[in-house]
Amino acid sequence: MSEPVDVLVIGGGNAALCAALMAREAGATVLLVESAPKAWRGGNSMHVRNLRCMHDAPQDVLIEAYPEEEYWQDLLKVTGGLTDEALARLVIRHSSTCRDWMRTHGVHFQPPLSGALHVARTNAFFMGGGKALVNAYYRSAEALGVAVRYDTPVARIELDGDRFVAAVTEGGERMEAKACVVACGGFESNLAWQREAWGLNERGEWPAENFLVRGTRFNQGVLLRFLIDSGADTIGDPTQAHCVAIDARAPLYDGGICTRIDCVSLGIVVNREARRFYDEGEDFWPKRYAIWGRLVAQQPGQLAWSIIDQKAVGRFMPPVFPGTQAETPEALAGKIGLHPAAFAATVSTYNAACRPGAFDHTVLDDCRTVGLLPAKTHWALPLDTPPYVAYPLRPGITFTYLGMKVDQTCAVRFGGRASPNLFVAGEIMAGNVLGKGYTAGVGMSIGTAFGRIAGASAARALGRAHPTFTRELDHALAR
Amino acid sequence: MPSLAELVAEARAIASGGGSATPEAEATRVLTICNACRYCEGYCAVFPAMTRRLEFGPADVHYLANLCHNCGDCLHACQYAPPHEFAVNVPRAMAEVRRRTYHDYAWPRAFGAAYRRNGLVLCLALAAGLALFLLLGLALTGSLWHEPLAGNFYAVFPHNLLVAMFAAVFLFAALALALGVARFWRDVAPGAPPAGQGGAAVAEATASVLRLRYLGGGHGAGCNEVDDAFTLARRRFHHLTFYGFMLCFAATCTATVYHYLLHLPAPYPLDSAPVILGTLGGVGLLVGPAGLFWLNLRRHPLHGDPAQQPMDRGFLVLLFLTSLTGLALLAWRDTGAMGLLLAVHLGFVMAFFATMPYGKFAHGIFRSAALLKYAIEKRQPSGLKLKED
């Protein structure tokens, strides 16, 4: 058995590290246990790249302003109202003050990357991306005296009523602590749970069997399930997840950002039966990519193809895998295993329906189809410039929303009663703010806010106040 | 175009210790992944230059490889670095291509193979051989150990002999480097900068070289050495090395002016410009290479190209010993050992010049050319119209 510490942090990503750093800054002794080996530490945080930040005026790398109300409206829109307004506003306000703290722990910010200028106003980018942030936090944590153990998956927690007593690792080691923060993600990496959550569809398929996981393989949801089974109050629906359409050839885990396919709005998308199934030009791709995961999940075999011609080349972020090319639609269909005649018919029907307009991929232009179902409402140009290129699409799960219901202290609740010393942060409670949907960078805003809050709450549970955070948080709560 | 199966198989093979067929092919594979990710864009010039391209032909790869300073920042930040099956290691892929650049663009071409053999032992053997040759010469004329000559080198080796020997080797080295880099420039030529911006491009490239801007990381906190922590140590030691070298070069130039224009032959007093410049430069060339050597020994195993370590270390040791023998010569120039020390020092200087075009020295020339191309290219309009920009 290990020497007991004040605060045990279970998890090794952004929220866990924020919690560990905060508890340590408040004077607690802290042990952080990460289930992954060191090379894979950081969970999904190693794949992130920015933080959505409220600001009332230009702030270093952020241009113009992104006021609280606009941020809140954006969140309200993407979640369709499935959000807790008080907690959401807490995240939003916290995002306007947290970057100085992040910098003191070695995080570097930069202006947006090429291909992401549409979020220059709203999102602060981490130089080098999330893995650089994770590295910085681990260096800072170790310098401050946080003990870190890798390869240490926790199997269960010992509870005394609603009080945390100890955690028990898969290896059987028991770790006592005075308080605990659970920040070890959702269950997106657990394929069996995904399969069960998505169930059997009307075609007799298990759709989740064809899903790819964009992030870590280590978010198996072990403690999420444990806490649910222990009677903790939950929030969210297990089938709600950040699910985008990605290159079908991506690895099962950790494909990350580079497996995106950004040419959907510049061409057409067909399913295995060579049929179109949704308006590819409904809106700008950054505003639509997160619905396409679900759209592809509804297609037979959970597979689709994004088809473009040479007019689109150079107008979208280059994909990591090369597309399949052919000189005619029939030949392309043959190469990718679609029915050639059916695919050629889809292309020619679409081409005939394209109404001439002034193509401009930087605005919602007037190139649209007439008399076609489903319509393509913008950027509809005939596919007529070979070679034609096809990219295969599959649903890619980024993270799940099922989690623990919390209030502004991040305490786990049992039948409405807050645990005095067990807290959660990050994906395992993000569903309080994100009931569904997503907007870029908000996951890090949630993880940073509640990671810091959970760490401070854990320290407070043993009578230690964080030297500066109380004032920062009061400010955010009172605003 | 490679199929997915090929790409994945390739990535797997590399992850398990295989590798692409050529350094250029590996760099192309890695850059294709980077171009779809771009998280490292803030670190250095390689990534902004990469985003101007969709495909990476041999000329692009050689250009980008020589822009890379092997700082390591992007490796430690990379979500696709080993053990990820994509096995992305930009600094290594780039370093392996650079070796090919030096090799393929060497003049005369047949000498390119010298890069493969350039190492510590070769450098030292060459220096020792040359020194021995000079010592033999001295011994044959009976002046190996002599009465103190008040630092008059020319009593040991006649001035015109020294000029003839060193001018021949130095001019050959300079010519070889110039022709090599000219060929490199022709292959990667960026075209003309937009009207009126040529001066700014040259100024920017010069500043990037003189300040070693890209050993600072995009944030100014430096590069990675042993682990993911940032340090400015490499930049500082490199500055000591580079400016030490430049001061020694300035000392030689000043002495040339003294000799031919002012008709003041050596030896020069301790408070003269050539001795002060040479001594300061010499100290820089002791501390700088020693520091870089120490860093090189401690580098993270995934950094750079292990096959080039002998070349890097040989160059550093040669610089260090050239300086050390020079300072020793200064210290004991008034004693009977002057001739011996002079012969040894000249052996090292000669070896340094002789290996200059076929060793680590070349990196400065090719990198400067790449930085100039970058400064020009970034001022030209991009051919791409990515919709999100």
Side-chain angles (χ1 to χ4, degrees):
Chain A
M1 193 183 119
S2 312
E3 196 66 17
V5 290
D6 290 340
V7 175
L8 177 69
V9 176
I10 302 171
N14 172 56
L17 287 159
C18 285
L21 287 165
M22 291 294 284
R24 185 73 195 114
E25 283 179 340
T29 58
V30 180
L31 169 64
L32 179 143
V33 292
E34 158 67 299
S35 62
K38 186 174 179 182
W40 289 108
R41 69 184 181 184
N44 282 334
S45 303
M46 70 182 269
H47 295 295
V48 305
R49 61 172 170 174
N50 57 36
L51 180 78
R52 183 166 283 255
C53 294
M54 161 194 164
H55 54 110
D56 291 325
Q59 259 184 19
D60 54 273
V61 299
L62 294 163
I63 57 171
E64 300 167 32
Y66 187 46
E68 177 179 340
E69 201 50 34
E70 186 185 352
Y71 196 149
W72 163 243
Q73 289 301 329
D74 285 346
L75 209 47
L76 199 57
K77 198 160 64 191
V78 298
T79 58
L82 285 178
T83 178
D84 176 324
E85 180 167 356
L87 294 180
R89 286 189 186 271
L90 179 58
V91 167
I92 293 169
R93 291 167 189 164
H94 175 268
S95 75
S96 72
T97 58
C98 64
R99 285 191 300 127
D100 284 340
W101 180 85
M102 296 170 72
R103 283 194 193 91
T104 65
H105 292 290
V107 177
H108 296 284
F109 291 94
Q110 66 166 68
L113 309 163
S114 64
L117 299 184
H118 57 283
V119 288
R121 185 171 64 89
T122 53
N123 290 45
F125 283 68
F126 314 129
M127 188 175 290
K131 193 167 171 186
L133 170 138
V134 164
N135 289 344
Y137 280 160
Y138 273 104
R139 283 198 304 276
S140 192
E142 284 169 24
L144 291 172
V146 172
V148 174
R149 285 178 56 183
Y150 299 105
D151 285 308
T152 311
V154 171
R156 60 191 173 86
I157 284 173
E158 260 179 43
L159 292 167
D160 175 12
D162 54 11
R163 169 174 282 274
F164 170 87
V165 178
V168 181
T169 68
E170 282 182 8
E173 185 181 354
R174 185 169 176 276
M175 297 167 165
E176 278 184 23
K178 293 176 187 151
C180 177
V181 177
V182 177
C184 51
F187 69 92
E188 58 275 3
S189 326
N190 187 328
L191 303 177
W193 193 344
Q194 293 277 5
R195 184 174 187 270
E196 171 202 334
W198 283 76
L200 198 65
N201 69 15
E202 69 285 358
R203 280 183 293 269
E205 303 166 321
W206 296 89
E209 287 184 343
N210 286 317
F211 290 2
L212 300 166
V213 181
R214 294 177 73 212
T216 180
R217 63 205 68 192
F218 292 97
N219 285 0
Q220 294 290 333
V222 174
L223 290 190
L224 176 61
R225 176 143 276 172
F226 177 87
L227 287 169
I228 293 170
D229 292 347
S230 304
D233 298 351
T234 65
I235 191 156
D237 164 354
T239 67
Q240 284 301 336
H242 185 234
C243 179
V244 310
I246 61 168
D247 196 306
R249 301 163 291 180
L252 177 57
Y253 291 111
D254 286 300
I257 186 76
C258 80
T259 60
R260 64 182 166 195
I261 295 292
D262 279 358
C263 54
V264 164
S265 60
L266 295 170
I268 62 170
V269 176
V270 297
N271 62 15
R272 202 170 66 182
E273 284 149 10
R275 290 208 185 91
R276 289 176 62 251
F277 51 88
Y278 198 80
D279 178 2
E280 301 90 347
E282 189 177 35
D283 204 343
F284 292 108
W285 183 240
K287 293 189 176 175
R288 278 293 164 271
Y289 75 101
I291 69 163
W292 276 83
R294 207 162 271 276
L295 289 170
V296 174
Q298 289 158 1
Q299 302 311 308
Q302 294 69 53
L303 183 65
W305 296 87
S306 172
I307 315 286
I308 56 169
D309 68 0
Q310 290 299 306
K311 297 194 297 297
V313 172
R315 285 180 165 150
F316 62 98
M317 290 285 288
V320 68
F321 298 120
T324 306
Q325 298 201 19
E327 291 299 319
T328 64
E330 289 84 353
L332 186 66
K335 281 186 171 179
I336 60 181
L338 301 183
H339 192 282
F343 177 67
T346 296
V347 171
S348 63
T349 311
Y350 162 77
N351 284 355
C354 290
R355 198 185 74 165
F359 178 84
D360 184 346
H361 66 312
T362 63
V363 297
L364 294 169
D365 72 3
D366 62 350
C367 292
R368 58 188 175 84
T369 59
V370 175
L372 186 69
L373 267 180
K376 184 176 178 190
T377 50
H378 304 96
W379 312 298
L381 292 180
L383 293 172
D384 55 9
T385 313
Y388 303 97
V389 187
Y391 297 99
L393 301 174
R394 275 204 193 283
I397 301 278
T398 317
F399 55 87
T400 49
Y401 294 149
L402 174 68
M404 300 293 104
K405 183 166 175 55
V406 298
D407 64 7
Q408 65 201 28
T409 67
C410 290
V412 175
R413 304 171 78 80
F414 296 90
R417 260 174 57 98
S419 165
N421 69 344
L422 179 60
F423 305 90
V424 280
E427 276 179 28
I428 197 168
M429 50 68 67
N432 288 274
V433 176
L434 276 177
K436 66 170 190 179
Y438 194 71
T439 180
V442 76
M444 286 301 282
S445 307
I446 293 170
T448 306
F450 291 119
R452 292 186 71 205
I453 289 170
S457 294
R460 200 178 307 110
L462 38 112
R464 294 183 182 276
H466 187 277
T468 57
F469 191 56
T470 314
R471 201 171 335 121
E472 189 185 331
L473 198 61
D474 284 348
H475 176 77
L477 288 168
R479 191 177 153 118
Chain B
M1 216 177 234
S3 75
L4 167 77
E6 283 164 348
L7 271 175
V8 170
E10 195 175 55
R12 293 243 163 79
I14 289 157
S16 60
S20 296
T22 65
E24 288 87 348
E26 170 63 1
T28 300
R29 184 190 76 84
V30 164
L31 286 165
T32 304
I33 295 169
C34 291
N35 208 17
C37 168
R38 305 189 174 189
Y39 281 16
C40 292
E41 211 173 87
Y43 281 133
C44 70
V46 172
F47 300 100
M50 170 193 78
T51 61
R52 298 177 67 94
R53 293 162 167 75
L54 291 177
E55 285 172 351
F56 303 96
D60 299 301
V61 166
H62 280 280
Y63 157 54
L64 295 172
N66 281 281
L67 262 188
C68 169
H69 289 52
N70 195 15
C71 77
D73 288 9
C74 66
L75 172 68
H76 292 279
C78 183
Q79 58 190 310
Y80 303 114
H84 194 285
E85 62 206 283
F86 286 177
V88 171
N89 184 338
V90 174
R92 174 159 297 171
M94 293 307 188
E96 287 173 352
V97 171
R98 280 198 296 280
R99 185 159 54 124
R100 295 271 288 217
T101 310
Y102 307 152
H103 175 274
D104 292 358
Y105 288 92
W107 183 90
R109 259 180 221 277
F111 282 29
Y115 280 103
R116 262 185 259 136
R117 289 188 274 278
N118 192 331
L120 182 55
V121 175
L122 181 92
C123 286
L124 292 182
L126 182 61
L130 288 166
L132 194 67
F133 177 74
L134 294 171
L135 287 171
L136 269 174
L138 287 183
L140 288 175
T141 59
S143 54
L144 188 54
W145 192 270
H146 49 74
E147 290 307 304
L149 293 165
N152 183 4
F153 311 135
Y154 307 136
V156 181
F157 290 110
H159 177 261
N160 288 343
L161 174 69
L162 287 181
V163 169
M165 285 193 316
F166 281 87
V169 177
F170 177 75
L171 290 177
F172 175 79
L175 178 74
L177 279 170
L179 291 175
V181 82
R183 204 145 69 193
F184 173 74
W185 185 261
R186 265 202 307 280
D187 280 3
V188 302
Q197 293 191 46
V202 171
E204 182 190 306
T206 308
S208 295
V209 172
L210 297 182
R211 294 178 47 229
L212 287 174
R213 181 173 168 196
Y214 296 111
L215 282 186
H219 37 55
C223 25
N224 298 122
E225 298 293 337
V226 264
D227 56 21
D228 59 67
F230 302 107
T231 163
L232 287 166
R234 184 146 29 121
R235 173 146 87 172
R236 289 176 178 147
F237 285 129
H238 193 295
H239 275 327
L240 284 168
T241 307
F242 176 80
Y243 287 102
F245 179 83
M246 294 310 276
L247 284 170
C248 289
F249 190 66
T252 309
C253 293
T254 318
T256 308
V257 170
Y258 275 30
H259 188 92
Y260 287 105
L261 296 184
L262 306 180
H263 303 293
L264 290 171
Y268 301 110
L270 290 179
D271 60 354
S272 66
V275 174
I276 292 174
L277 290 171
T279 307
L280 287 175
V283 171
L285 279 181
L286 286 182
V287 179
L292 290 173
F293 193 89
W294 175 69
L295 290 174
N296 188 290
L297 291 176
R298 289 158 34 93
R299 281 293 283 277
H300 190 284
L302 286 178
H303 286 195
D305 174 13
Q308 283 170 62
Q309 271 174 358
M311 178 175 86
D312 296 352
R313 291 177 186 170
F315 181 66
L316 291 170
V317 169
L318 198 54
L319 279 174
F320 181 88
L321 290 178
T322 304
S323 172
L324 188 71
T325 55
L327 291 171
L329 176 60
L330 176 67
W332 287 290
R333 68 181 181 178
D334 294 334
T335 72
M338 189 267 279
L340 198 142
L341 289 169
L342 179 63
V344 172
H345 179 56
L346 291 180
F348 276 98
V349 175
M350 187 78 93
F352 176 77
F353 283 155
T355 55
M356 216 163 78
Y358 310 108
K360 182 70 179 177
F361 186 88
H363 84 280
I365 310 295
F366 285 98
R367 181 142 317 138
S368 301
L371 284 165
L372 180 59
K373 174 180 164 77
Y374 174 67
I376 293 170
E377 184 185 76
K378 71 184 260 198
R379 287 171 168 78
Q380 296 166 335
S382 168
L384 301 179
K385 298 264 183 295
L386 302 188
K387 70 178 170 189
E388 291 177 29
D389 298 355

